[in-house]
Amino acid sequence: MKKPQLNPLQAQLLKSGLTSEAKAKQVKAEKRKQDKLQRNNGVEIVDDIKLSAEQARQQQIERDRQLNRQRKQIEEQKALAAQIKQITLLNKIEQDNNGLSYQFNHENKVKTVYVAEKVREALINGRAGIVHLSSGYEIVPAEVARKIQDRDVLAVVVLNQATQDVAVEDDPYAAFQIPDDLMW
């Protein structure tokens, strides 16, 4: 009896003992049947191995898309943080260590910056704001603080509403100024 022709992989599997000659013949016969059915009837035989490989490939593509989305989002956040830092450092108002203290609340903690009296008044009246950077707090004009707030709401810590310095004539308390920030 003539021995069936085996492909190199089948020969290796037989030699290593991972399969038997009967199993190899059975697989070859099954393959021939599928080919014959496909040729004669135009019937497509569903190959489980191909199907699972295609599913695995689709899952890998989806994972890659998700990772790319996450990487892109992280890069955008870094770029936004760099923009905020650059805008802040270019427009910052210098703090004065010997000046008056201005206290504000950030993350449920009272923070203090020391500024000149004019800058303190600007902070109180909404003409200036305080921006939080990783290096600390910087004071910027209100217009700049609004630009930063458009990019990241959480970066601007203090930006009071602009107050009107013009008093109403009928106001009996117009002569008395109400302090917005008390110094202790």
Side-chain angles (χ1 to χ4, degrees):
M1 183 169 164
K2 186 174 142 185
K3 218 174 191 185
Q5 287 288 345
L6 300 175
N7 68 29
L9 178 62
Q10 288 174 333
Q12 277 185 335
L13 291 174
L14 275 172
K15 191 175 182 180
S16 65
L18 293 174
T19 188
S20 65
E21 221 172 288
K23 183 74 172 169
K25 283 181 185 178
Q26 183 183 6
V27 168
K28 196 165 189 167
E30 184 66 34
K31 178 75 172 145
R32 247 182 301 151
K33 284 180 189 176
Q34 286 179 0
D35 288 345
K36 187 175 180 182
L37 272 175
Q38 193 171 2
R39 267 193 321 264
N40 294 340
N41 300 335
V43 175
E44 179 122 1
I45 306 297
V46 178
D47 190 1
D48 292 337
I49 296 172
K50 286 182 182 177
L51 190 61
S52 64
E54 180 63 26
Q55 287 175 345
R57 191 177 68 79
Q58 290 297 330
Q59 289 174 349
Q60 182 64 34
I61 289 171
E62 185 58 35
R63 277 194 303 268
D64 290 345
R65 281 188 191 138
Q66 220 171 6
L67 287 173
N68 285 339
R69 250 184 264 126
Q70 288 175 349
R71 280 190 210 114
K72 187 175 179 182
Q73 189 176 16
I74 290 170
E75 287 174 9
E76 287 173 356
Q77 288 173 346
K78 285 181 182 179
L80 195 61
Q83 281 180 0
I84 290 171
K85 184 176 181 178
Q86 183 179 16
I87 291 170
T88 302
L89 294 178
L90 288 175
N91 296 293
K92 72 179 182 177
I93 299 171
E94 292 298 323
Q95 298 182 25
D96 183 8
N97 289 336
N98 297 325
L100 301 171
S101 69
Y102 180 81
Q103 297 177 341
F104 59 96
N105 187 7
H106 183 233
E107 296 178 348
N108 294 327
K109 294 180 183 173
V110 177
K111 303 291 183 173
T112 304
V113 291
Y114 294 95
V115 293
E117 188 173 343
K118 271 186 144 182
V119 176
R120 185 173 180 279
E121 291 298 321
L123 283 167
I124 292 169
N125 294 329
R127 295 187 310 265
I130 299 176
V131 177
H132 176 66
L133 296 177
S134 60
S135 60
Y137 299 96
E138 296 294 339
I139 301 166
V140 294
E143 300 83 37
V144 174
R146 285 187 194 91
K147 286 180 184 177
I148 292 171
Q149 212 169 29
D150 290 341
R151 288 171 172 79
D152 184 9
V153 177
L154 299 176
V156 179
V157 179
V158 175
L159 182 59
N160 294 323
Q161 293 294 324
T163 59
Q164 294 181 351
D165 294 333
V166 181
V168 178
E169 292 178 22
D170 297 337
D171 189 5
Y173 297 106
F176 302 102
Q177 188 177 21
I178 300 170
D180 212 18
D181 185 32
L182 297 175
M183 290 183 11
W184 301 94

